[in-house]
């Protein structure tokens, strides 16, 4: 059961969020900064600690979804996930 739990993705991208790119800071030079988006998910379920890869994947999906709501098309991670939370700078690079 725990193996199945670790494979689950509890977060799904929105149609708009799937159009947002996760990029490096140097790739947003010349883009308009829209703001900051934060995301958080459960990184522990009972005594089980979820895989860092899955937690990060879900945090990025949530960050992209929030960026799309803000009118952004690109996000840059401010740093690695900490305790199931992550922050992103949101940019608008396209028209």
């Amino acid at each position: 059961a725990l193996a199945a739990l670790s494979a689950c993705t509890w977060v799904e991208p929105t149609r708009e969020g799937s159009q947002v790119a996760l990029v490096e800071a140097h790739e947003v030079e010349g883009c308009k900064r829209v703001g900051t988006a934060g995301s958080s998910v459960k990184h522990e379920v009972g005594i089980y600690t979820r895989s860092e890869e899955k937690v990060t994947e879900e945090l990025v999906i949530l960050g992209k979804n929030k960026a799309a709501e803000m009118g952004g098309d690109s996000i840059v991670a401010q740093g690695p996930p900490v305790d199931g939370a992550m922050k992103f700078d949101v940019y608008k690079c396209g028209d």
Side-chain angles (χ1 to χ4, degrees):
L2 288 179
L5 178 63
S6 67
C8 292
T9 298
W10 297 335
V11 177
E12 295 295 327
T14 61
R15 184 169 47 90
E16 297 82 4
S18 66
Q19 302 299 310
V20 175
L22 173 65
V23 298
E24 299 291 326
H26 68 89
E27 297 178 84
V28 293
E29 292 175 14
C31 298
K32 178 183 177 190
R33 187 173 184 279
V34 177
T36 302
S39 57
S40 63
V41 296
K42 291 204 176 280
H43 67 287
E44 293 178 337
V45 179
I47 61 169
Y48 177 71
T49 300
R50 298 180 64 217
S51 91
E52 185 177 327
E53 181 180 288
K54 274 296 183 197
V55 168
T56 302
E57 177 185 338
E58 291 179 1
L59 291 169
V60 169
I61 290 169
L62 286 171
K64 288 179 173 186
N65 290 348
K66 288 182 182 180
E69 291 173 11
M70 297 168 65
D73 58 18
S74 302
I75 58 173
V76 176
Q78 291 183 354
V82 176
D83 295 330
M86 199 169 181
K87 288 192 177 192
F88 302 91
D89 290 320
V90 179
Y91 294 88
K92 177 72 174 168
C93 297
D95 293 331

